[in-house]
Amino acid sequence: FPNPLSSISGISMSPSRQNLHHSLHSTMALPKTSYSVLSAFCTEENISQCIAYINQEVCSLGLTGVSLESKSGSLSAVPVLNLLYEVLQLQRRAQRALHELETQQLKNGSDLEHLQHSNCRLKDQLEHTRRDNSGLHEGERQLQLKIKTLQNWLKSEKEEVQKLQSIISSRATQYNHDTKRKERECTKLKERLNQLLMDKRDKKLSIEISNHVGRSDGKRGLWKTGKMEARHEGEMYKALLSDYETRQRSLMMENSELKKVLQHMKKDMITILSPKKPEPANDSLEQAVSECEEEIGDPSRETLEQSCEQAREQLTNSIRLQWRKLKSHMERLDSQASLVASQEREGEEMMSRKEHEEEMQRMRMELQQCKEFIHMQQQLLQQQLSSPCDEETAALLNDCYTLEEKERLKEEWRLFNEQKRNFERERKNFTEAAIRLGHERKAFEEDRAAWLKTQFLNMTPFVDRKRSALSDSALSVGTEPEAKLQSTPPLVTKSLFSTPKAASVKMPSTADLYRTLHLIPDSRGHGKCQSGEMSTKSRLRNCSTDCSVLSFVRDENSPI
Amino acid sequence: MNFSEVFKQSNQLCKVSPDGKYLATCVQYRLVVRDFNSLQIAHLYTCLDPVMHMEWSSDSLFILCAMYKRGLVQVWSLEQPDWHCKIDEGSIGLVSSRWSPDGRHVLNTTEFNLRVTVWSLCTKAVSYIKYPKACQKGVDFTADGRYMALAERRECKDYISVFVCDDWHLLRHFESETQDLAGLEWSPNCCVLAVWDNCLEYKLLLYSLDGRLLSSYSAYEWSLGIKSVAWSPSSQFLAVGSYDEKVRILNHITWKKITEFEHPATIINTKAVVFKEVEKRPVVGSEDLSIHQLTVDNSLFSTQSKYEITQLPAQVPVIKPDPDRANPKIGISALAFSADNRFLATKNDNMPQSLWVWDMQRLSLLAVLEQTAPVRCFVWDPRRPRLALCTGNTKVYLWSPAGCVSVNVPVEGSFQVLSLFWHCSGSSLVLLSKEHICLCYVEAGASCGHT
């Protein structure tokens, strides 16, 4: 069998699979120009060999072979095409597989690269952490060393302190010993000195005194007897006992006061803890209330057995219990308040515990102050009550409180009477002056009337009766009611100068007086007699009345 | 406030009689007794030597003048000026001399504290008390004058003897549990005796009148201990001031500490008021510098001062004491209760310019007064809650709950107020300078407002 195939370059003829694959591979990698080589594979002469070879190859691939129709000497196209198709399929499959393998290969390559990189990185990191670790170890070791050295130092210091203390104590004993020795020596010296001086005593020591002085308490000196000693002892014990008694009394009083305060506190706490409005019912609270009510019955018993230990313990225990309940209640309220405050920020109505405590403190202070005040009052009262006083001194004493006021009152009465008298006097003067004034004014008015009349008459050569009558009437209108100026006929001037006896005798009223003096407005014809008023006012200056309302106007119209 | 004229005195010897009517001063060897209201000389006595100690008897009838150098004591009578009494201790020497509470016995302590001699003016009798102890305060009389407590030291141990002042009968003699007794003091109600140890050990013992130990108190060990002790006038409290700059208050029922008052360098307490004395520089115009002005008008050179309220937190000036010396200047050296028991004034030695006032009702700090110079002397008014203090300059300072005020003493030349004390009525102050005294009349109800 000639092996034309082996002459074809690049194609090896081994039947093994691997080589086949390889050959296939290389077959696929073959460029297209090798097609011409393939065409050289089958010629006209070796068709059947070629077919046989192809069939062999195809069989090894697992495909159906091609049968050769030897009759015509040519291949039927259908099986060949089928074979070709199958081979193409195979080829395609193989290519796909190759493609996949290639991609897989690429992926693996990149994965490998990635892994290598991360491997490097991790190695670096590991290296780094190893270094750090060693560094930390080193530091820790050093610190441990330091701790050890410090502990050693501390121990040595403590030892030193102990040593010093022992030194101090030993030195102290030494000093004590030395001091005692020196003191003994000194005492010996003193004894000696005493002896020496005692010998000289009779000569030098003396007291020169003019005369004996009496004892400060006036008693005579007493002999020293056993009775005296007993008396001294007795007095000393009496002094001690009285001191103890006073102290015990004050302590008892304090004790009872404190007990009272505790009782009140307990009652208050009970009232606080028993809520009036229906709150979210706390079982514990209700229990507390019921317990409290049971205990309210106790005070009556407690007052009976005041000194009894058990009663005292009972009271204090119940107080403690109440206090604990109150505290828990307050804490609950506090937490509630804080919740409310945090939610709504409106915690104004709830008192914080601190404020509450401050309030309590303030109240305690007030309580203390009030107690002190009461105590002081009590003392004063006691003093007052206990001060010795018999009947007359008591009467005197009673009187003395109002003595000052009585004196003052008497003084004021005196003043008042004096003033009253003064006032009467002045009033009388005033009235007299007013009367005088009235008279004078009347006189003056008459004079003026006359003068005016004469003037007027002198002025006008012609006697104008009407006018004079008018002037008269005008004048008369201005005058006061009591000074009844009769409108005299113009020629009768004499009567004007006579003092009008027709003036009223009765005393004028104050209002009239004032009106006279123009101190109150005179509604009648005030404006007509201006000048007259002014002159009368100036007249009044000379009278002894002190009406400061008057104005001082120079009298220019005095008739005389 | 009015000031009287200035009188001479020597040795700071100036005392008001217990009944408040007379003022006695010593000028070298003369004893001058003046009527307190008019300051006219009522009596004049002459002693044999410059007087070192002068004391009124409790009934204001006698005055004792002690002359330690010559060992003499002379007693003068106010009722009979020509009565005389001279006590000569002879070669035994004299270290201190005092009256007994009944005003009829004189107790002389001899040199080296050998013994206490009790001379009776009634009977010329003499009694001796041996082995008295020489310490800060070894003798104390009860307030009612019935008993006397005396510290003794025999065979290196401390003893306390209680005598009945009537006839000097020894009532009780017992050993004290102190290492080295430094002082003793009766409580104002005469029933308890407070005894304290010296500064090397903090120990306070309370003995009853009959010699039983009621209680013992010790705040700490090893460090320097008690420096000063004061009873409150009602005997309710016992204030103990110590070298650790604290005052501890004990109560009379349990004899335990109820509180301690600290004296920190920074005051943070918001309820306390800090008054700082500030000096105002006087403005001098050129026309004022005439010689006449300079010599006569003292106010040119004396600076006015007033108190300002410092904002809290305030710093108190501290002077660190020398650690090597004994009896260091640190700790509470002076304590005084006010007459109504409501206030306590304290002075801390390493803050010498400050005076601290504590409210005893609230047991807290009420006020701190910071002066421009170390406080020399402070005394409470015997009637009202009013404190007078002086710092050695020409001013006297008054504090009351209403405020505090500084007053210049308007005396020609400068009057450096070294110490002062109140008259028993609380209406006037007696100021002492080195060689003079001056009276200061204070209105009774005057509330001091700070300017």
Side-chain angles (χ1 to χ4, degrees):
Chain A
F1 194 81
N3 210 354
L5 293 171
S6 62
S7 61
I8 303 169
S9 62
I11 300 172
S12 59
M13 282 295 294
S14 75
S16 63
R17 264 264 153 121
Q18 287 172 333
N19 277 345
L20 194 62
H21 279 283
H22 191 70
S23 62
L24 272 172
H25 204 80
S26 52
T27 310
M28 285 192 230
L30 276 175
K32 277 196 178 129
T33 51
S34 54
Y35 180 66
S36 57
V37 175
L38 274 166
S39 61
F41 160 66
C42 181
T43 57
E44 295 290 325
E45 298 87 38
N46 57 355
I47 289 176
S48 52
Q49 282 117 339
C50 292
I51 290 171
Y53 177 71
I54 285 174
N55 279 340
Q56 201 186 0
E57 292 290 315
V58 155
C59 280
S60 67
L61 282 173
L63 301 167
T64 53
V66 172
S67 63
L68 186 63
E69 276 183 55
S70 51
K71 259 190 213 178
S72 56
S74 61
L75 283 163
S76 61
V78 168
V80 170
L81 285 168
N82 281 337
L83 182 66
L84 190 64
Y85 178 71
E86 278 171 12
V87 169
L88 281 171
Q89 291 282 58
L90 207 64
Q91 165 80 341
R92 214 164 272 143
R93 250 182 271 140
Q95 263 190 340
R96 238 183 284 139
L98 184 67
H99 199 255
E100 274 172 28
L101 283 172
E102 273 179 353
T103 52
Q104 192 68 33
Q105 167 99 342
L106 278 170
K107 256 193 234 164
N108 287 343
S110 64
D111 276 344
L112 185 68
E113 234 176 82
H114 176 72
L115 283 171
Q116 273 176 348
H117 279 219
S118 61
N119 193 23
C120 278
R121 196 171 35 88
L122 285 171
K123 271 195 192 147
D124 284 338
Q125 228 174 36
L126 183 68
E127 195 55 47
H128 206 68
T129 47
R130 277 218 187 102
R131 250 182 278 140
D132 280 345
N133 198 20
S134 61
L136 286 170
H137 273 298
E138 186 60 39
E140 196 184 320
R141 197 178 56 85
Q142 277 176 359
L143 284 172
Q144 293 278 19
L145 264 174
K146 207 166 169 184
I147 283 171
K148 271 205 198 90
T149 50
L150 282 172
Q151 275 174 345
N152 288 339
W153 184 77
L154 183 68
K155 221 191 306 177
S156 64
E157 286 293 314
K158 275 192 187 153
E159 276 166 22
E160 206 176 313
V161 163
Q162 268 181 345
K163 227 192 324 171
L164 284 170
Q165 271 183 345
S166 65
I167 287 172
I168 286 171
S169 58
S170 69
R171 285 181 82 168
T173 50
Q174 178 69 31
Y175 291 143
N176 280 340
H177 176 78
D178 278 341
T179 318
K180 284 205 181 103
R181 192 162 47 86
K182 287 215 170 73
E183 223 183 296
R184 262 179 243 128
E185 224 178 284
C186 195
T187 330
K188 274 191 221 146
L189 269 169
K190 278 190 190 171
E191 293 281 327
R192 190 90 168 84
L193 193 61
N194 226 349
Q195 267 177 10
L196 286 169
L197 286 166
M198 285 300 196
D199 293 336
K200 288 193 191 169
R201 186 169 55 114
D202 297 297
K203 262 201 253 178
K204 280 280 191 173
L205 225 61
S206 66
I207 176 168
E208 269 174 46
I209 188 165
S210 297
N211 46 275
H212 294 285
V213 185
R215 273 170 67 108
S216 52
D217 48 3
K219 292 195 201 143
R220 276 193 307 148
L222 299 160
W223 294 103
K224 266 193 197 161
T225 57
K227 212 163 59 167
M228 283 297 296
E229 291 183 18
R231 194 165 70 106
H232 285 313
E233 290 274 320
E235 272 174 19
M236 177 188 78
Y237 282 120
K238 239 186 269 175
L240 273 174
L241 275 172
S242 63
D243 176 65
Y244 279 129
E245 265 166 30
T246 47
R247 232 197 284 173
Q248 203 228 5
R249 231 177 292 143
S250 65
L251 283 172
M252 283 250 301
M253 232 169 43
E254 216 181 298
N255 208 13
S256 62
E257 266 175 42
L258 286 171
K259 263 198 208 152
K260 259 183 244 157
V261 170
L262 276 176
Q263 297 269 14
H264 286 157
M265 266 176 64
K266 198 172 87 161
K267 277 194 207 113
D268 284 341
M269 281 200 274
I270 288 166
T271 50
I272 288 169
L273 285 174
S274 57
K276 288 174 193 133
K277 45 189 165 119
E279 275 183 11
N282 274 328
D283 286 332
S284 55
L285 269 177
E286 283 179 4
Q287 252 183 21
V289 169
S290 55
E291 275 174 33
C292 299
E293 283 169 0
E294 281 174 9
E295 286 177 18
I296 285 170
D298 284 343
S300 54
R301 258 188 289 141
E302 280 169 77
T303 49
L304 289 173
E305 316 164 4
Q306 257 179 29
S307 54
C308 181
E309 278 260 349
Q310 292 162 1
R312 195 172 63 228
E313 275 180 32
Q314 202 173 26
L315 176 61
T316 47
N317 283 337
S318 66
I319 293 282
R320 254 187 237 133
L321 202 68
Q322 296 299 336
W323 185 247
R324 241 177 269 146
K325 281 178 199 145
L326 189 68
K327 230 173 38 171
S328 62
H329 188 61
M330 279 305 297
E331 273 164 13
R332 234 176 290 129
L333 283 175
D334 259 349
S335 59
Q336 276 180 24
S338 62
L339 270 172
V340 168
S342 62
Q343 282 170 15
E344 297 176 343
R345 303 216 170 267
E346 267 182 45
E348 284 167 6
E349 286 183 12
M350 306 268 201
M351 265 208 306
S352 68
R353 181 180 290 163
K354 195 172 177 196
E355 283 175 39
H356 182 79
E357 275 171 11
E358 277 174 24
E359 194 77 44
M360 289 279 291
Q361 187 73 14
R362 230 178 298 143
M363 288 199 288
R364 271 189 220 119
M365 288 292 301
E366 254 181 70
L367 184 72
Q368 182 74 14
Q369 278 172 9
C370 290
K371 266 202 272 183
E372 274 176 22
F373 188 69
I374 289 169
H375 186 68
M376 200 173 59
Q377 293 271 29
Q378 229 176 354
Q379 263 186 342
L380 287 170
L381 197 69
Q382 199 78 19
Q383 259 179 25
Q384 203 179 24
L385 289 173
S386 65
S387 59
C389 55
D390 46 341
E391 286 294 315
E392 41 191 22
T393 50
L396 277 170
L397 280 171
N398 282 340
D399 210 25
C400 71
Y401 290 120
T402 50
L403 191 67
E404 204 183 46
E405 287 181 29
K406 277 189 195 155
E407 291 289 332
R408 227 184 296 144
L409 195 65
K410 266 189 224 155
E411 184 72 15
E412 283 185 18
W413 265 109
R414 195 177 58 78
L415 272 166
F416 176 73
N417 287 334
E418 215 176 276
Q419 277 178 10
K420 197 168 160 191
R421 274 196 299 268
N422 287 344
F423 185 74
E424 281 300 326
R425 214 183 316 133
E426 280 179 20
R427 198 161 177 228
K428 227 190 304 176
N429 288 343
F430 203 62
T431 330
E432 281 172 19
I435 294 170
R436 241 200 329 256
L437 180 70
H439 291 320
E440 282 182 26
R441 183 179 281 179
K442 220 182 353 172
F444 173 72
E445 286 294 323
E446 285 170 7
D447 284 351
R448 200 180 69 151
W451 183 79
L452 278 170
K453 239 205 255 168
T454 49
Q455 272 282 358
F456 196 68
L457 287 170
N458 291 341
M459 267 189 341
T460 59
F462 310 105
V463 177
D464 195 354
R465 285 200 185 182
K466 260 196 192 169
R467 250 205 194 162
S468 61
L470 268 172
S471 67
D472 272 340
S473 63
L475 281 170
S476 65
V477 163
T479 55
E480 289 60 37
E482 68 264 20
K484 291 182 186 114
L485 249 178
Q486 306 296 322
S487 55
T488 56
L491 292 167
V492 183
T493 53
K494 264 192 276 180
S495 61
L496 284 171
F497 285 105
S498 62
T499 53
K501 290 219 166 78
S504 59
V505 183
K506 66 172 188 319
M507 292 278 274
S509 69
T510 319
D512 289 341
L513 265 172
Y514 279 145
R515 229 176 279 130
T516 316
L517 297 170
H518 293 280
L519 289 172
I520 55 176
D522 190 7
S523 50
R524 291 166 276 158
H526 184 73
K528 304 260 176 162
C529 292
Q530 282 275 340
S531 52
E533 287 163 19
M534 283 204 272
S535 52
T536 49
K537 277 176 188 168
S538 63
R539 272 283 178 88
L540 276 171
R541 225 191 309 153
N542 301 325
C543 308
S544 61
T545 50
D546 49 350
C547 302
S548 54
V549 187
L550 304 173
S551 57
F552 294 90
V553 177
R554 223 162 66 81
D555 186 8
E556 282 174 8
N557 299 335
S558 55
I560 305 162
Chain B
M1 292 210 292
N2 296 320
F3 289 85
S4 74
E5 54 181 83
V6 164
F7 304 105
K8 270 181 122 14
Q9 51 94 351
S10 62
N11 272 338
Q12 310 276 300
L13 287 172
C14 173
K15 303 251 167 82
V16 175
S17 65
D19 61 0
K21 288 199 202 135
Y22 296 102
L23 176 74
T25 44
C26 284
V27 188
Q28 294 301 317
Y29 49 89
R30 258 199 233 117
L31 173 68
V32 181
V33 181
R34 292 169 196 276
D35 176 72
F36 193 82
N37 295 320
S38 63
L39 292 177
Q40 298 290 331
I41 295 182
H43 301 283
L44 192 63
Y45 306 100
T46 310
C47 300
L48 297 165
D49 214 37
V51 179
M52 305 292 290
H53 175 72
M54 184 259 292
E55 198 176 322
W56 282 91
S57 69
S58 56
D59 53 3
S60 308
L61 290 177
F62 296 97
I63 302 181
L64 171 160
C65 293
M67 293 140 270
Y68 297 146
K69 276 200 205 114
R70 281 185 59 174
L72 283 174
V73 174
Q74 280 186 282
V75 184
W76 304 101
S77 160
L78 251 69
E79 284 179 322
Q80 305 173 36
D82 46 350
W83 183 91
H84 69 270
C85 170
K86 185 174 81 165
I87 301 173
D88 191 346
E89 287 287 342
S91 40
I92 220 175
L94 187 63
V95 157
S96 89
S97 178
R98 54 160 60 83
W99 280 106
S100 71
D102 64 355
R104 294 292 178 273
H105 294 86
V106 176
L107 285 91
N108 286 345
T109 313
T110 62
E111 221 167 341
F112 303 117
N113 275 80
L114 278 178
R115 61 170 187 237
V116 172
T117 326
V118 184
W119 297 94
S120 163
L121 296 180
C122 308
T123 63
K124 283 218 284 195
V126 186
S127 318
Y128 297 109
I129 302 174
K130 280 177 95 174
Y131 309 113
K133 182 155 188 196
C135 54
Q136 196 186 8
K137 191 169 177 186
V139 183
D140 195 33
F141 293 99
T142 56
D144 56 8
R146 283 222 286 234
Y147 304 103
M148 176 180 92
L150 179 77
E152 296 177 14
R153 183 104 176 155
R154 289 170 215 245
E155 288 139 32
C156 312
K157 286 205 202 109
D158 288 319
Y159 293 88
I160 297 174
S161 297
V162 180
F163 292 91
V164 181
C165 293
D166 249 3
D167 53 1
W168 305 105
H169 159 70
L170 177 67
L171 188 66
R172 283 284 188 277
H173 179 80
F174 52 93
E175 190 181 332
S176 160
E177 285 182 22
T178 49
Q179 288 276 37
D180 185 7
L181 199 154
L184 41 76
E185 188 163 332
W186 288 103
S187 68
N189 68 357
C190 316
C191 292
V192 181
L193 183 67
V195 174
W196 60 94
D197 219 332
N198 82 345
C199 58
L200 285 176
E201 184 167 339
Y202 194 125
K203 197 186 234 176
L204 183 81
L205 298 165
L206 290 140
Y207 286 96
S208 157
L209 179 56
D210 56 344
R212 288 174 299 126
L213 176 66
L214 292 172
S215 174
S216 136
Y217 176 74
S218 172
Y220 51 80
E221 282 194 294
W222 300 121
S223 298
L224 290 177
I226 300 176
K227 199 162 186 186
S228 58
V229 172
W231 283 97
S232 75
S234 63
S235 313
Q236 268 182 309
F237 302 116
L238 181 60
V240 183
S242 46
Y243 280 88
D244 67 343
E245 305 182 56
K246 288 193 199 157
V247 175
R248 291 174 176 83
I249 308 284
L250 309 181
N251 76 86
H252 71 307
I253 299 180
T254 60
W255 300 116
K256 297 238 186 315
K257 175 185 86 168
I258 49 174
T259 186
E260 60 184 40
F261 294 145
E262 283 189 22
H263 296 73
T266 313
I267 301 169
I268 320 169
N269 187 336
T270 47
K271 294 222 182 93
V273 184
V274 179
F275 294 99
K276 194 180 155 99
E277 188 196 358
V278 165
E279 284 195 340
K280 299 190 272 201
R281 302 218 166 269
V283 176
V284 178
S286 56
E287 58 267 25
D288 289 339
L289 283 172
S290 60
I291 299 293
H292 179 73
Q293 286 284 329
L294 283 173
T295 48
V296 174
D297 191 358
N298 184 47
S299 60
L300 200 65
F301 286 117
S302 64
T303 50
Q304 296 288 318
S305 77
K306 59 177 185 132
Y307 281 104
E308 276 179 1
I309 293 185
T310 318
Q311 290 289 328
L312 292 172
Q315 291 287 116
V316 180
V318 177
I319 295 179
K320 266 190 159 277
D322 187 355
D324 290 332
R325 300 193 66 181
N327 297 324
K329 284 211 174 296
I330 185 171
I332 314 299
S333 62
L335 297 165
F337 277 95
S338 68
D340 60 355
N341 228 2
R342 301 260 290 279
F343 305 103
L344 173 68
T346 64
K347 182 181 158 206
N348 189 358
D349 271 351
N350 60 333
M351 299 167 186
Q353 296 178 0
S354 306
L355 195 69
W356 304 64
V357 183
W358 307 83
D359 184 341
M360 288 310 288
Q361 278 189 312
R362 294 193 179 80
L363 291 178
S364 66
L365 180 62
L366 186 63
V368 178
L369 276 72
E370 200 185 302
Q371 308 292 127
T372 50
V375 175
R376 282 190 69 111
C377 178
F378 59 95
V379 225
W380 285 100
D381 183 331
R383 294 280 177 89
R384 291 160 210 90
R386 197 158 53 171
L387 185 65
L389 58 139
C390 65
T391 63
N393 56 11
T394 57
K395 299 183 196 64
V396 67
Y397 307 92
L398 283 166
W399 176 91
S400 78
C404 53
V405 72
S406 118
V407 183
N408 220 350
V409 180
V411 165
E412 287 178 25
S414 71
F415 186 95
Q416 313 271 5
V417 184
L418 295 180
S419 79
L420 41 73
F421 60 90
W422 288 90
H423 183 260
C424 52
S425 68
S427 60
S428 44
L429 270 170
V430 179
L431 312 170
L432 284 94
S433 75
K434 189 156 186 293
E435 306 223 317
H436 296 94
I437 58 161
C438 173
L439 268 73
C440 166
Y441 300 97
V442 187
E443 290 98 64
S447 61
C448 322
H450 73 282
T451 40

